[in-house]
Amino acid sequence: MLTAVQFRRFTDNVSRTLRAAALAGVFFFPILAQAMSASAGQPPRDVAPVLIPAGVYRPLSRATTDPETVAVAAFRLDALPVTNAQFLAFVTTHPQWRRSRVSPLFADETYLRNWAGDLDPGPASPPDSPVVNVSWFAARAYARAAGLRLPTLAEWEVAAAAGYTTPIGRAEPDFVQDLLAWLARPVPAVLPSVATAKPNLHGACGLHGLVWEWVDDFNTAMVVGESRADAARDQNAFCGGAAAGVSDTSDYAAFMRQALRSSLKAKQGTTSLGFRCAEDLPSTDLPSP
Amino acid sequence: MKSRSSLQLTSGLLAAVLSLSATRAAEGYVPVKGLAPMPPEIAALPVEQAVLTPPPLVPPAITRRSPARVVVDLEVREVVGRIADGTQYTFWTYGGTVPGSFIRIREGDVVEFHLNNHPSSKLPHNIDLHAVTGPGGGAASSFTAPGHSSQFTFKALNPGLYVYHCATAPVPMHISNGMYGLILVEPAEGLPPVDKEFYVMQGDFYTVGAYGEGGLQTFDMAKSIDERPTYVLLNGAVGALVGDKALAAEAGQDVRIYFGVGGPNLMSSFHVIGEIFDRVYPEAGLKFVQEHVQTTLVPAGGATMVDFKVDVPGTYVLVDHSLSRAFNKGALGMLKVSGAEDRVVYSGKEVDSVYLGSQSAAGSLSSKREDELKKQIAAQIKANPTIAGLTKEMQMEKGKQVYMQNCFACHMPTGEGMAGVFPPLAKSDYLMADRERAIRIVLKGLNGKITVNGVDYNSAMPPQQDVLTEEQIADVLTYATNNWGNAADAYTVDEVRRVKSDTL
């Protein structure tokens, strides 16, 4: 007997596979398509995604013209970040994303630097550890190839706001302590397996405590537009000035995520920056095959 | 094959389009402006690499009498290090030490600053040098992702001793993890020469574990925000300047300490026990030199220079004279002075003899006798039924006041409660059956079904332990159990306390 949850995951998988097949312009019998997904260039997806219920994201800092909150619709998020093994499958079928061939427009010299070779993650990058040193472009290309996308900043923050047992992690002392402990540790030479990550209330593992993660719109972390108001805000981004116009100055972890995102360019990677994929909820009005 | 190429085409196009917007937006935040054009007279200046030193060392005095272009290469590293014996902490550092490397330049120098963030760093960092004139003190221009390097140039306009620190949000955390140091901008004419120079900085640290608790300790955000440091340290560790790591000088030498406070929160009442500063440059400014100073106040994010001649050999202790920090939190270092004694300046202990004062034998006996009498009075009160009765009566009066403020709204002034909703206290079999239970209910509250005098009640009573004192609880119970047809012994504070500790 399938439980309701298992059934939902099964139907989601089927619909996702269908969509991937439709995207590829080819129509397969679903099971066959799933079996062939690796050879068709779709990276393996070993763990079912989890449902992140609709929520509200309150940006840490914003211009006075920005809304105070951002509504986030329910969506599906991979339970785990992408591993070296999964990324290896991707670069195997997408040679343009191999280290030696990637365009310098899309990845700088840090790209997959911890790998031993183009198709060899090597001892510093175990198969079940999260892939790091990937650019935003590469992360995005991977997601697209999987028929998925990167979560938006607001989606990621809503998913990661949950604690181990409650919807508000910031109010769980254990959760806060674990988070700050991770933030305060240097990056280990070899990252741990994704299996070590603790699930949060929604079942998403390692949103905190494993690696940083790219989000689709990372560069909106400190929006800089044309307006002089934004430019003035810019100068306040450091030192005590950073606290001006901030929704919760005691959320140090949020400051650190914002600082990291702001420091990045889309072609960069770091030794502790990975990603995971997301997708919209399957809607009932998808064109039927 | 068709499917694959179309997929690649789509993602390639998309990436190309996005690359334009993404790059523009990302670079718009901290614009990379390219190398600043230098006028010929600046471009012609001699170029030299700055000598950086770890604490407590100071780079050699600058001997040249004209400006130069000075290249500073400072590396940011996140490292696990010792904060106390048996206790580690993850320090975020400039150059691998806390405080960070000492930088020494000269007024008028044009400094080409490179901030290199090590690839193993988890976080972006930057540097705000208080010696820099310009927005952020270099912070925005030096904001650097892990595994990257930033360059900016500034001209040292103002001489003095300046703090530098990381200014990436959350700034208090970056600073309390050790991201600060000193940069000395020597005045054009140089500083008065001394025999020894030292580099000492104070900072406050916030760990989850108590002072001295072992293992790898984690930053405690709540303590940091409340400004309740676990450690207050000179040069980043308990005992960093103690024993064989103590500062060393010889009797007769002139000593200068470049002293700064990184904070993030506390100021320092900097004092060297047994010395008087011959010269202090208050707030590290050079114009007004104060003389003969015992203790000098140094603000967080500020610095001072103190000069003094060490005349007498021995150990001199550097402290923050807010002494709990020195005694209990580690804010202590040592300066060991070797050489020949000068017993005219300081003799050492000359005489040791007995002195009794108020602690004499007669005084001590009298105080013992007083304690005995107090005990006898307490025993007499307890044994005397009249006094005991009066005590109970007084408890009931006090209990009545508590009842009329806190209890009567539900249980009614008559103790009869409200039929079916709030149980009665008057002639209540439930109340009178179990003293401990009665205390527990007042302390902790009660939820759910109970039966009182044969009637079921199912409601909630809020806990009172945060509202009433132990004495008030004893009093109100004494009142309720000796009124409205009830009769019982008085409740004591001891009884309440016992139940409270049982059920904690």
Side-chain angles (χ1 to χ4, degrees):
Chain A
M1 283 298 286
L2 285 173
T3 65
V5 172
Q6 282 168 333
F7 179 73
R8 199 188 60 207
R9 283 182 181 166
F10 173 74
T11 51
D12 290 351
N13 276 331
V14 170
S15 77
R16 182 180 327 114
T17 310
L18 277 173
R19 254 188 307 149
L23 193 95
V26 181
F27 185 65
F28 287 108
F29 185 69
I31 305 296
L32 181 64
Q34 198 160 25
M36 292 184 64
S37 61
S39 60
Q42 187 169 343
R45 199 174 183 208
D46 307 329
V47 182
V50 295
L51 172 73
I52 307 297
V56 170
Y57 169 55
R58 186 179 290 271
L60 183 68
S61 56
R62 60 189 177 88
T64 45
T65 48
D66 292 341
E68 205 169 310
T69 57
V70 177
V72 173
F75 68 105
R76 293 215 184 290
L77 183 67
D78 278 0
L80 295 169
V82 172
T83 63
N84 285 306
Q86 289 169 319
F87 205 77
L88 175 62
F90 168 69
V91 296
T92 304
T93 52
H94 296 76
Q96 74 274 32
W97 287 105
R98 291 177 196 171
R99 193 171 66 183
S100 64
R101 300 203 206 167
V102 73
S103 159
L105 284 175
F106 297 151
D108 67 10
E109 55 269 45
T110 61
Y111 183 66
L112 294 178
R113 200 161 74 168
N114 55 324
W115 281 28
D118 257 7
L119 296 174
D120 176 15
S125 315
D128 56 346
S129 294
V131 68
V132 291
N133 287 321
V134 285
S135 68
W136 175 84
F137 293 115
R140 231 167 174 275
Y142 175 102
R144 283 193 63 84
L148 304 167
R149 60 176 174 80
L150 296 180
T152 65
L153 192 156
E155 284 175 338
W156 195 97
E157 290 287 340
V158 162
Y164 297 134
T165 54
T166 70
I168 302 166
R170 273 186 300 141
E172 285 179 40
D174 285 7
F175 179 84
V176 170
Q177 211 46 67
D178 285 358
L179 175 52
L180 288 172
W182 177 73
L183 291 168
R185 301 276 184 274
V187 182
V190 176
L191 289 167
S193 162
V194 294
T196 61
K198 233 169 150 174
N200 74 1
L201 178 72
H202 306 309
C205 305
L207 285 167
H208 305 293
L210 207 51
V211 285
W212 303 106
E213 295 179 6
W214 281 112
V215 291
D216 203 42
D217 50 346
F218 76 96
N219 53 13
T220 62
M222 288 185 180
V223 180
V224 176
E226 280 296 304
S227 75
R228 291 191 189 90
D230 267 355
R233 219 165 64 83
D234 189 7
Q235 293 179 354
N236 284 335
F238 299 111
C239 203
V246 162
S247 58
D248 181 358
T249 54
S250 73
D251 194 347
Y252 277 17
F255 272 112
M256 283 185 261
R257 289 195 296 275
Q258 173 172 273
L260 184 86
R261 287 171 192 142
S262 303
S263 78
L264 296 169
K265 295 186 179 68
K267 65 178 183 178
Q268 294 177 352
T270 84
T271 55
S272 55
L273 176 63
F275 69 100
R276 75 178 70 204
C277 301
E279 62 184 329
D280 298 340
L281 281 185
S283 84
T284 46
D285 53 9
L286 264 184
S288 57
Chain B
M1 287 312 286
K2 187 194 167 210
S3 70
R4 221 163 110 181
S5 57
S6 75
L7 186 70
Q8 282 169 13
L9 186 67
T10 320
S11 66
L13 273 175
L14 191 77
V17 169
L18 282 162
S19 77
L20 288 173
S21 58
T23 307
R24 195 180 303 135
E27 292 190 347
Y29 173 61
V30 183
V32 177
K33 295 180 171 175
L35 298 182
M38 293 288 162
E41 69 272 20
I42 303 290
L45 290 177
V47 177
E48 64 178 53
Q49 185 77 29
V51 177
L52 306 183
T53 56
L57 306 179
V58 177
I62 290 170
T63 51
R64 63 184 154 76
R65 286 291 165 253
S66 57
R69 290 182 71 187
V70 180
V71 179
V72 175
D73 264 297
L74 192 58
E75 185 183 60
V76 172
R77 283 206 301 274
E78 300 170 359
V79 294
V80 174
R82 170 190 164 281
I83 194 169
D85 284 334
T87 309
Q88 284 79 45
Y89 189 73
T90 306
F91 294 100
W92 299 346
T93 73
Y94 291 108
T97 56
V98 177
S101 307
F102 195 104
I103 305 167
R104 188 168 198 157
I105 56 173
R106 183 186 174 279
E107 181 181 1
D109 283 354
V110 175
V111 180
E112 180 185 307
F113 204 99
H114 298 257
L115 189 71
N116 311 311
N117 193 358
H118 197 271
S120 68
S121 292
K122 192 169 264 172
L123 290 160
H125 298 285
N126 62 7
I127 193 166
D128 169 355
L129 297 128
H130 290 178
V132 169
T133 305
S141 308
S142 61
F143 188 44
T144 310
H148 281 260
S149 175
S150 296
Q151 177 185 335
F152 69 101
T153 296
F154 69 92
K155 187 171 184 184
L157 301 177
N158 301 68
L161 178 66
Y162 297 92
V163 167
Y164 66 78
H165 63 91
C166 187
T168 302
V171 191
M173 183 174 179
H174 284 257
I175 290 178
S176 68
N177 283 351
M179 298 199 79
Y180 48 79
L182 290 179
I183 176 169
L184 172 64
V185 183
E186 279 199 39
E189 66 280 11
L191 287 168
V194 290
D195 299 308
K196 287 267 169 131
E197 293 186 317
F198 299 109
Y199 170 25
V200 179
M201 271 188 99
Q202 177 171 324
D204 25 307
F205 294 81
Y206 304 82
T207 62
V208 173
Y211 178 88
E213 198 172 310
L216 179 56
Q217 284 295 325
T218 296
F219 171 75
D220 189 312
M221 189 175 78
K223 284 183 190 169
S224 163
I225 292 173
D226 291 350
E227 304 186 16
R228 287 183 292 116
T230 327
Y231 295 88
V232 180
L233 300 173
L234 302 183
N235 287 5
V238 175
L241 296 171
V242 168
D244 56 0
K245 287 175 284 186
L247 308 177
E250 284 161 37
Q253 284 187 322
D254 279 313
V255 170
R256 172 175 297 145
I257 297 177
Y258 296 100
F259 184 84
V261 177
N265 298 319
L266 300 190
M267 298 186 280
S268 179
S269 303
F270 182 54
H271 177 85
V272 177
I273 299 174
E275 264 300 343
I276 297 154
F277 302 138
D278 298 329
R279 286 191 299 276
V280 170
Y281 298 79
E283 294 165 8
L286 299 173
K287 179 149 188 184
F288 304 103
V289 177
Q290 181 60 285
E291 295 185 340
H292 315 307
V293 175
Q294 57 194 306
T295 301
T296 188
L297 190 64
V298 185
T304 189
M305 293 179 281
V306 297
D307 294 358
F308 52 100
K309 188 189 201 104
V310 285
D311 297 294
V312 178
T315 298
Y316 295 84
V317 180
L318 285 63
V319 294
D320 178 343
H321 215 291
S322 294
L323 283 170
S324 296
R325 303 171 188 174
F327 202 83
N328 303 93
K329 297 180 178 179
L332 180 152
M334 289 177 179
L335 167 65
K336 288 188 177 171
V337 177
S338 56
E341 277 190 313
D342 182 344
R343 292 203 60 197
V344 177
V345 176
Y346 185 73
S347 72
K349 190 174 216 174
E350 294 180 308
V351 177
D352 182 346
S353 63
V354 174
Y355 173 71
L356 295 170
S358 65
Q359 293 308 306
S360 65
S364 162
L365 272 179
S366 161
S367 138
K368 258 186 206 163
R369 179 77 184 131
E370 186 189 342
D371 281 348
E372 274 167 24
L373 287 170
K374 274 185 189 163
K375 274 183 199 155
Q376 281 179 26
I377 291 168
Q380 282 295 325
I381 289 172
K382 223 174 174 180
N384 185 327
T386 314
I387 294 178
L390 287 172
T391 309
K392 182 173 171 181
E393 215 173 297
M394 194 163 71
Q395 254 193 296
M396 286 172 61
E397 288 308 321
K398 287 196 288 184
K400 184 173 184 175
Q401 294 162 33
V402 175
Y403 187 87
M404 291 308 170
Q405 280 169 23
N406 298 281
C407 317
F408 79 99
C410 298
H411 294 292
M412 297 289 122
T414 55
E416 281 162 7
M418 195 175 285
V421 187
F422 303 119
L425 303 175
K427 294 180 189 151
S428 161
D429 56 354
Y430 188 84
L431 171 65
M432 303 305 288
D434 187 337
R435 293 173 69 88
E436 273 196 19
R437 180 175 67 188
I439 294 170
R440 191 173 302 117
I441 292 171
V442 177
L443 280 167
K444 309 281 175 183
L446 181 69
N447 275 300
K449 202 176 101 174
I450 57 169
T451 306
V452 182
N453 297 344
V455 181
D456 287 346
Y457 293 86
N458 193 353
S459 54
M461 159 140 171
Q464 302 296 319
Q465 58 185 0
D466 296 329
V467 183
L468 301 178
T469 65
E470 288 158 355
E471 192 181 350
Q472 284 177 315
I473 290 173
D475 292 346
V476 78
L477 280 164
T478 303
Y479 173 73
T481 55
N482 288 282
N483 237 310
W484 316 309
N486 297 334
D489 286 346
Y491 281 71
T492 66
V493 171
D494 280 350
E495 275 181 288
V496 174
R497 202 167 285 162
R498 199 168 57 237
V499 174
K500 196 173 183 181
S501 63
D502 277 356
T503 51
L504 270 180

